[in-house]
């Protein structure tokens, strides 16, 4: 395939996922509002997890104190077998809580950062490809998805899931496209953003 033909196909592909600056800004603002609400919910969950962690640590300490107590010198209060079993069970619960506490904030922040990168890519990738050097074009191709192939002069690619969502969202709501020309019935920003806020395909869940 000639380079100019490849560029034409890539331009058409990138046009299918191109969103406007207006929609990108609205979407990121909307995500930040969701993140703020989610952070408040996460804080309550985190407090609950930390309370559970303190409870387990107290139980582990009490278990150890009972094991080494002079009154338990003959193992009548707590045998070695029972001590190991209870300690292993509490330690396993503690490890699960540590994972949940660590993942609680990571998942929220990771989700938001991924979404922001995706919206920024969808907004600008077409321009970057048209004006970028060969390395930039390679990076954009690699970012689109998997199973990139050239068959009978036609470029095919399985878009990454976030980009698939954007492509479907544009089909459902063309006003988010970078190529959309506002008409008289929905000409101003407030009207368009109100339309997006009420449009189920553009909202989470």
């Amino acid at each position: 395939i000639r380079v100019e033909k490849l560029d034409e196909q890539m331009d058409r592909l990138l046009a299918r996922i191109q969103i406007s600056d207006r929609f990108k800004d609205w979407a990121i603002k909307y995500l930040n509002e969701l993140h703020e609400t989610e952070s408040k919910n996460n804080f309550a969950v985190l407090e609950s997890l930390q309370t559970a962690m303190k409870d387990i640590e107290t139980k582990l300490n009490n278990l150890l104190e009972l094991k080494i107590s002079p009154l338990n010198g003959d193992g009548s209060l707590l045998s070695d077998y029972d001590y190991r079993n209870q300690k292993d069970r509490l330690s396993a619960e503690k490890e699960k809580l540590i994972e949940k506490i660590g993942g609680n904030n990571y998942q929220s922040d990771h989700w938001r950062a991924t979404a922001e990168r995706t919206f920024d890519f969808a907004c600008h990738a077409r321009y970057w490809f048209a004006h970028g050097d060969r390395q930039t074009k390679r990076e954009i191709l690699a970012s689109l998805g998997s199973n990139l192939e050239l068959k009978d002069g036609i470029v095919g690619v399985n878009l990454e899931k976030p980009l698939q969502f954007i492509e479907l969202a544009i089909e459902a709501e063309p006003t988010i496209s970078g190529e959309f020309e506002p008409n008289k019935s929905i000409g101003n920003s407030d009207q368009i953003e109100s339309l997006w806020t009420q449009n189920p395909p553009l909202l989470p869940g």
Side-chain angles (χ1 to χ4, degrees):
I1 186 172
R2 295 180 63 85
V3 172
E4 58 269 23
K5 293 294 183 182
L6 175 62
D7 286 352
E8 287 174 8
Q9 289 189 44
M10 288 304 303
D11 182 70
R12 289 196 294 272
L13 173 59
L14 292 170
R16 283 163 35 198
I17 61 167
Q18 183 186 13
I19 58 175
S20 66
D21 278 299
R22 178 189 291 175
F23 178 72
K24 181 199 75 170
D25 293 342
W26 173 85
I28 291 176
K29 177 184 174 185
Y30 183 78
L31 283 173
N32 286 332
E33 290 172 354
L34 283 180
H35 181 262
E36 185 177 346
T37 300
E38 189 177 69
S39 293
K40 292 177 181 177
N41 294 334
N42 284 347
F43 181 75
V45 172
L46 188 59
E47 280 191 320
S48 176
L49 292 172
Q50 288 173 339
T51 298
M53 175 70 79
K54 289 179 181 178
D55 183 53
I56 285 181
E57 288 175 345
T58 298
K59 289 179 179 178
L60 283 168
N61 289 334
N62 290 341
L63 189 67
L64 178 60
E65 287 180 7
L66 180 59
K67 179 68 176 68
I68 64 177
S69 168
L71 298 176
N72 191 49
D74 59 356
S76 59
L77 297 178
L78 184 66
S79 67
D80 290 344
Y81 176 80
D82 287 338
Y83 173 73
R84 284 195 303 272
N85 281 349
Q86 291 185 50
K87 181 174 179 282
D88 290 346
R89 177 179 57 80
L90 290 170
S91 296
E93 290 180 21
K94 182 178 178 180
E95 286 300 317
K96 289 179 181 178
L97 286 172
I98 290 172
E99 288 180 10
K100 289 180 179 179
I101 290 171
N104 200 47
N105 288 327
Y106 170 78
Q107 291 176 2
S108 176
D109 291 339
H110 178 70
W111 169 78
R112 183 178 63 163
T114 299
E116 288 184 0
R117 284 197 304 270
T118 300
F119 285 126
D120 194 55
F121 179 86
C123 185
H124 300 116
R126 190 181 182 190
Y127 177 86
W128 293 337
F129 190 89
H131 297 87
D133 57 20
R134 191 169 297 178
Q135 180 59 31
T136 299
K137 292 183 178 185
R138 283 197 192 99
E139 291 172 357
I140 290 173
L141 281 170
S143 298
L144 283 173
S146 58
N147 297 328
L148 186 67
E149 65 175 6
L150 180 66
K151 185 176 181 181
D152 298 328
I154 305 297
V155 176
V157 61
N158 292 332
L159 291 175
E160 293 284 350
K161 283 189 176 179
L163 297 176
Q164 288 179 17
F165 162 77
I166 288 176
E167 183 178 26
L168 292 173
I170 290 174
E171 291 176 3
E173 184 50 71
T175 60
I176 75 174
S177 169
E179 297 186 312
F180 174 73
E181 293 291 339
N183 57 42
K184 292 181 180 179
S185 62
I186 47 172
N188 64 57
S189 297
D190 290 340
Q191 286 176 311
I192 292 179
E193 291 184 8
S194 176
L195 179 68
W196 295 339
T197 303
Q198 301 170 43
N199 197 321
L202 306 184
L203 305 178

